[in-house]
Amino acid sequence: MTRAPRRRAATAARAALAALAVGALATTLLGACTTESADPAVRSATSTTGTAQPDPGMTFIEAAPRCTTTRPLTGKGRVPLDAVFPGAETSAFSAPKEAVPGPDAADRAQCPGELPSRPQCDGLVPWTGLLNDAFIPASRARRVVEGYLLTMPKQAGNQAPPESSAGTKVVTFSLVDLAAGDPGGLVAYLDAAFTTCAKASPSRVAGVGARIGTVPSEYGAGSAEVVLLRRGAHLVWATLDGSGWQPGEQQRALAVLVARLL
């Protein structure tokens, strides 16, 4: 299997379509400003009159602020599939990349934003309702890494939807590097969100402070476990979903996330 979980793939597709639309608009505007006449005589005459004056009927459109940038990983964030799911038969996983503040991020007039006043519990973890291009300015995060790992039995391909078949196991995770002092208030927001939306309670995972709760499953299980982890300036939240987990496997998966991400 090579496709991402359905809801995250749909989100990524919408973001890609938006980016393509912006690029297409920019290309169209540039083309409108630089189109040459098909008549060689006209082109020749134009070239001898000096600097061309702008068309008074053309509206100047400023370039969109560059608040975020997506690039290959430069630090922690890679979680090998076989470290979490040894001997996986059929699997899928995300390409490693990270989102960071863009060249205009320090200008709050161009890149404003703040976290919601209350968690949006009808959405996905971490219940902000924000994609990275809005989440990074709102949270003031220095870096965000998102990933997923999925495994399911070979026979799952004969079922629909295959990822919801018995035996499927899924881990989705996000790693956030906080700015000094957490100016966006992300830690407090996540503590409240996990308590409100997942009824999470304090715990420890592999020696790291954690909050652990449950949310409705997206992969055919009764519920999914959600975990919030923090060590220093690093935050990780993860969802462990699916019906294929055996006793002790979730604890082992979380220990791998702590070792690889924190």
Side-chain angles (χ1 to χ4, degrees), residues 22-32:
V22 171
L25 176 60
T27 301
T28 301
L29 290 173
L30 288 172

Side-chain angles (χ1 to χ4, degrees), residues 1-10 12 92-94 148 150 163 219:
M1 176 179 177
T2 59
R3 66 188 183 91
R6 291 166 291 165
R7 295 180 68 180
R8 290 185 176 276
F93 54 91
S94 57
Y148 72 88
L150 179 150
E163 63 268 27
Y219 293 90

Side-chain angles (χ1 to χ4, degrees), residues 93 113 176 189:
F93 54 91
V176 173
Y189 181 89

Side-chain angles (χ1 to χ4, degrees), residues 70-233:
T70 300
R71 66 189 188 191
L73 278 180
T74 60
K76 286 189 174 183
R78 186 174 283 100
V79 180
L81 180 81
D82 58 2
V84 177
F85 301 130
E89 294 180 343
T90 302
S91 60
F93 54 91
S94 57
K97 58 186 178 181
E98 62 188 17
V100 297
D104 300 321
D107 186 343
R108 297 298 291 174
Q110 292 195 78
C111 301
E114 59 184 16
L115 295 170
S117 59
R118 60 178 58 87
Q120 301 181 16
C121 294
D122 57 346
L124 296 174
V125 181
W127 306 289
T128 64
L130 303 175
L131 298 178
N132 276 341
D133 57 353
F135 176 80
I136 288 179
S139 66
R140 315 285 186 90
R142 293 192 299 109
R143 190 171 73 112
V144 177
V145 179
E146 296 180 318
Y148 72 88
L149 307 165
L150 179 150
T151 182
M152 57 189 180
K154 289 182 178 179
Q155 66 270 22
N158 299 323
Q159 305 177 39
E163 63 268 27
S164 294
S165 63
T168 293
K169 294 179 284 188
V170 186
V171 174
T172 59
F173 64 87
S174 294
L175 163 65
V176 173
D177 291 347
L178 297 169
D182 187 20
L186 182 59
V187 172
Y189 181 89
L190 292 177
D191 283 345
F194 270 74
T195 300
T196 302
C197 302
K199 303 298 186 288
S201 58
S203 183
R204 294 191 71 79
V205 173
V208 174
R211 286 183 178 271
I212 300 178
T214 58
V215 294
S217 171
E218 294 185 58
Y219 293 90
S223 62
E225 184 173 272
V226 291
V227 181
L228 176 64
L229 305 161
R230 182 184 180 189
R231 175 179 281 167

